[in-house]
Amino acid sequence: MNKKRFLTALLTAMMLSVSGVAGASFERGDDGQEVIDIQKRLAELNYTVSNIDGNFGPETEKAVKQFQLDRGLESDGVIGPATYKILMNREIPPNRGASIARRMIRVGYSVLGTPYVFGGTTPYGFDCSGFVQYCARNAGLTLPRMADEQYYFGRKISMKQLRAGDLIFFTTYEAGASHVGIYIGNGNFIHAGCSTGVTVSSAFTGYWGARYYGACRIL
């Protein structure tokens, strides 16, 4: 199999994987009007939500878990399609963030194999933050240029909360967030590595696992 056919096959397999990761859901750390609607409905059903503020925090998560337990659902605190339909009596709305995440990752795969170039921001060569900025821009998002700036741009999330499209950061040549990539699910991320160019790597094992720094959500 030649290199072009191999990359095409790899891209297809990866996108099939991503499509199952970035589905619509609401979970701890989310916010907005849709979360307010969920909180109101939980309160109407006598689950404890003292602050209907649109922030999916610990109290809302606890209420969701109890609702799921009472309805015989998996009590994970995440409002996926099944929980949403029973709670809200309608289908879960399309997840705009998931759509943008898929576009970002699709753009990243389209330049798989592009060489690393310090300061690079185009398909002729990328550095890590230039690659992430390029993917975001082509998905309709504006990000700062540098990795540490990108880290502080988004909302901080835990490793447990990671989903496709989140940005993940590593400590490499200097303290703090000095390397960045895009999480694609299943413990992997796509990034522009100094020695590899744009590639897919394991985020939590080996070289990168030892240097994991944190993550943020920009969607």
Side-chain angles (χ1 to χ4, degrees):
M1 182 181 291
N2 61 36
K3 182 177 181 181
K4 184 175 181 180
R5 289 178 62 191
F6 171 77
L7 291 177
T8 299
L10 178 61
L11 171 58
T12 300
M14 290 290 189
M15 287 310 300
L16 287 172
S17 172
V18 168
S19 66
V21 175
S25 66
F26 298 95
E27 60 188 271
R28 186 168 176 171
D30 288 341
D31 54 27
Q33 182 58 49
E34 291 167 326
V35 176
I36 289 177
D37 294 341
I38 288 168
Q39 290 173 325
K40 286 180 177 178
R41 180 58 178 160
L42 286 166
E44 287 172 1
L45 295 172
N46 297 316
Y47 292 95
T48 302
V49 182
S50 55
N51 292 312
I52 299 176
D53 56 5
N55 293 311
F56 200 128
E59 185 182 57
T60 301
E61 182 182 54
K62 183 178 179 180
V64 171
K65 285 182 177 180
Q66 187 59 54
F67 172 83
Q68 291 171 323
L69 189 64
D70 292 345
R71 299 307 192 278
L73 300 165
E74 180 185 0
S75 184
D76 60 2
V78 176
I79 300 181
T83 298
Y84 188 92
K85 187 171 184 178
I86 294 172
L87 175 64
M88 304 300 289
N89 296 316
R90 61 177 183 264
E91 298 295 332
I92 196 166
N95 188 326
R96 178 176 176 271
S99 177
I100 294 173
R102 284 191 291 269
R103 289 203 297 273
M104 282 180 59
I105 295 168
R106 189 177 299 116
V107 171
Y109 286 140
S110 74
V111 293
L112 203 66
T114 299
Y116 181 91
V117 174
F118 182 76
T121 60
T122 74
Y124 291 103
F126 292 108
D127 64 14
C128 66
S129 56
F131 167 73
V132 169
Q133 187 187 53
Y134 174 85
C135 293
R137 183 172 64 248
N138 280 275
L141 298 176
T142 300
L143 287 182
R145 173 66 182 86
M146 305 304 293
D148 56 350
E149 296 172 331
Q150 292 173 1
Y151 178 71
Y152 290 107
F153 180 82
R155 183 176 76 249
K156 303 301 171 294
I157 57 172
S158 68
M159 188 183 295
K160 182 180 179 181
Q161 293 174 300
L162 275 169
R163 62 192 185 202
D166 291 334
L167 304 188
I168 56 176
F169 299 83
F170 304 84
T171 296
T172 52
Y173 63 91
E174 63 180 11
S178 53
H179 186 77
V180 60
I182 303 170
Y183 187 66
I184 61 173
N186 297 323
N188 297 315
F189 74 116
I190 187 168
H191 65 121
C194 292
S195 60
T196 60
V198 178
T199 190
V200 173
S201 300
S202 172
F204 309 123
T205 61
Y207 178 87
W208 295 111
R211 291 163 175 80
Y212 181 80
Y213 183 75
C216 74
R217 181 160 298 154
I218 59 173
L219 303 176

